[in-house]
Amino acid sequence: MKLKIGVIFGGKSVEHEVSIISAIQAINNIDKDKYNIVPIYISKEKELYTGKNLLKIENYKDLQEIKKVSKAVTLCKINNEFCLLSLTGLRKVVDKIDVAFPIVHGAGVEDGSLAGYLDTIGVPYVGSRVLGSALGQDKVILKYVLKANDIPVTDFVWFYDSEYLVSKDTYLKQIKEMGYPVVVKPASLGSSVGITYVKDEDSIDKAIEEAFEYDRKILVEKAVDNLVEVNCSVLGNYHHQEVSILEEVISSSDILTYQDKYIGHRKMKGPSKGMVNTDRRIPANIDECLQKEIKDLSILTFKALNLSGVCRIDYLIDSKKNKVYVNEPNIIPGSLSFYLWEPIGKKYQELLDDLIKQAIDEYKISNKKVSHFQTNILENFEGTKGIKK
Ligand SMILES: Nc1ncnc2c1ncn2[C@@H]1O[C@H](COP(=O)(O)OP(=O)(O)O)[C@@H](O)[C@H]1O
Ligand SMILES: [Mg+2]
């Protein structure tokens, strides 16, 4: 019997629509001889829907209408099976899944929230667990973990809004000592939202205030000069990793903006890739030595952050000094970064197949570990006097 793959996408995130594109691409490429697809769409209102109307990209032109022609459900475990239970009309099981395949982007879903939900009900799923997903979400914690593993990251200063309010001069002094230009970022956003490139101290305060509109925690990073941005995808888990070809992404200004990523400068041709409209060069135009360094760092980063599935690790390079810094991991990259695997001979269908197989293998392995005790210490419980002091 064919395995049922529940592709979960959408969610309340600034990358909602990008997730729909990534999910439909994946659905179109999954081997239908081996798998049956069950689409599970999370609306911007955080409701779950399923149904065949969710399989076509043209049905998403009106995000309210798509909900009306789909079935509102919840994903739960009933009699050891993972069921989509109808929330309207009769409470019946609309569909079942064997493996979940999250293709979500952004905070509130990709940050470990969805992984946590799937872990709680125990469904096998593709991709990183809670820890790996969450680590990439806070740019400050991420840098500390990478530094502890001797992985190069840019210098930075970080603080909360309340700290900045009372010790502004101290932080501005620290930033000055680190040296301008700097890049101001909200700690846990994505898609370049709230990020400003600051050339000198005249405009730092304004940039920090802007970042605080999005997050209570921000970081100010030393800007990388002569910037070249390169990305590398990694596929695997803690004991086996493969690396892809490298891509170079090209921005129109000091930093790669939301405009560069999603709105773009060129007309969209053919299937969308990764950051939907980014200008890119594949393979990246960098020397072999640097390519090797980035590929090695990608494996180290993947392992240090407890990642699994397919991810994309983004780099900032000072092209004059040939100095490489890890910028951030994307634990569920746009388009699952399939376009970085095809040039080295792994078709999209094969990539998806690898990911599903890996999810099943990891589920089997983790089920062999002791996760609970058969005994029930509450069996003879007689009120609080029984509690061990
Ligand atoms: N330290 C830096 N020096 C120079 N440019 C940077 C630096 N950090 C970020 N950028 C630019 O800003 C963009 C967005 O920053 P990033 O940390 O990747 O945030 P996001 O999570 O929003 O993608 C990067 O793609 C790059 O163009
Ligand atoms: Mg980025």
Side-chain angles (χ1 to χ4, degrees), residues 261 314 327-328 330:
K261 288 175 179 174
D314 296 353
N327 182 30
E328 57 170 355
N330 293 275

Side-chain angles (χ1 to χ4, degrees), residues 122-284:
V123 62
Y125 61 96
V126 172
S128 291
R129 313 290 100 178
V130 176
L131 181 63
S133 309
L135 281 177
Q137 203 61 34
D138 183 309
K139 293 181 196 294
V140 175
I141 308 267
L142 170 73
K143 280 190 192 285
Y144 282 121
V145 174
L146 294 177
K147 267 169 84 121
N149 284 279
D150 293 325
I151 294 169
V153 292
T154 54
D155 288 341
F156 65 103
V157 171
W158 74 274
F159 38 82
Y160 287 108
D161 50 5
S162 54
E163 293 173 326
Y164 186 70
L165 209 62
V166 289
S167 313
K168 185 168 165 172
D169 290 345
T170 314
Y171 291 117
L172 291 181
K173 192 162 162 260
Q174 281 179 24
I175 295 166
K176 197 171 173 184
E177 278 165 13
M178 186 171 73
Y180 285 93
V182 295
V183 179
V184 178
K185 304 180 181 181
S188 58
L189 247 76
S191 303
S192 299
V193 176
I195 297 188
T196 315
Y197 184 92
V198 180
K199 292 199 169 73
D200 52 46
E201 53 186 322
D202 291 346
S203 29
I204 186 72
D205 195 39
K206 186 167 169 278
I208 290 175
E209 291 301 338
E210 193 192 327
F212 278 140
E213 281 176 27
Y214 297 96
D215 208 331
R216 294 181 313 183
K217 184 181 188 181
I218 69 158
L219 74 161
V220 180
E221 275 184 45
K222 180 124 182 70
V224 174
D225 293 327
N226 318 302
L227 182 64
V228 170
E229 294 189 59
V230 166
N231 303 334
C232 176
S233 181
V234 184
L235 168 68
N237 53 24
Y238 65 98
H239 65 89
H240 173 75
Q241 306 86 28
E242 292 171 56
V243 285
S244 73
I245 199 167
L246 305 185
E247 69 171 330
E248 188 178 333
V249 285
I250 296 150
S251 63
S252 59
S253 52
D254 289 323
I255 65 165
L256 200 58
T257 59
Y258 188 86
Q259 163 92 17
D260 288 321
K261 288 175 179 174
Y262 303 123
I263 299 157
H265 313 283
R266 61 186 167 85
K267 292 231 165 66
M268 241 173 104
K269 286 194 208 102
S272 63
K273 295 169 178 177
M275 293 178 273
V276 178
N277 254 351
T278 314
D279 287 326
R280 62 188 69 247
R281 193 179 288 137
I282 300 172

